[in-house]
Amino acid sequence: MIVALLGPSADLERCERAADSLIAAGITIAYNWPEVVRERRNAGLTDVDLTDEERWQTQNACLVAALSCGVVWWLSSDSVGAAFEAGIAEGVGQYREMVCSGTPHAIYRPGRHFPTDAEALAWIVGSR
């Protein structure tokens, strides 16, 4: 199983916990962006410091991940980027399962919504 993890870089710790939980369960992450963001932050860089090329590469890697996996796990929040990626994945995602945890959105409702990340993870692990 390959999972695309979508979430807010503003809440990096939450996203790292989710990524670590997937890896511990033996699940492949399509693009482990929390790891990349952590490396940048440890080097003193933020999203503002990205060059246009780095922004494009990051956006492309996230979209390719969301479109090339079997499961999309959206750590829902007020993050615009993650909501955009989740919408793209669902819009063309006839063959991928959408899983959402966290803040529900009134308009965008993926197929499966869980109030907590732990409940979403349990569903993902159990669906293998």
Side-chain angles (χ1 to χ4, degrees), residues 1-5 18 21-22 25 27-28 71-75 97-101 112 114 117-128:
M1 169 186 291
I2 299 175
V3 173
L5 181 64
S21 296
L22 289 168
I27 295 171
T28 301
V71 174
V72 173
W73 181 10
W74 177 25
L75 304 175
E97 186 73 51
M98 293 295 299
V99 177
C100 178
S101 57
R112 301 188 183 279
F114 299 91
D117 296 344
E119 290 171 285
L121 176 68
W123 185 90
I124 292 168
V125 170
S127 71
R128 288 192 281 179

Side-chain angles (χ1 to χ4, degrees), residues 29-72:
I29 301 171
Y31 172 57
N32 193 346
W33 65 267
E35 182 178 73
V36 174
V37 172
R38 176 57 64 200
E39 288 173 7
R40 287 179 182 153
R41 289 196 183 161
N42 287 345
L45 302 171
T46 67
D47 291 348
V48 174
D49 299 310
L50 295 173
T51 65
D52 288 343
E53 179 67 18
E54 289 169 327
R55 287 177 210 286
W56 181 86
Q57 289 173 349
T58 300
Q59 177 187 21
N60 190 55
C62 289
L63 287 174
V64 166
L67 296 173
S68 64
C69 64
V71 174
V72 173

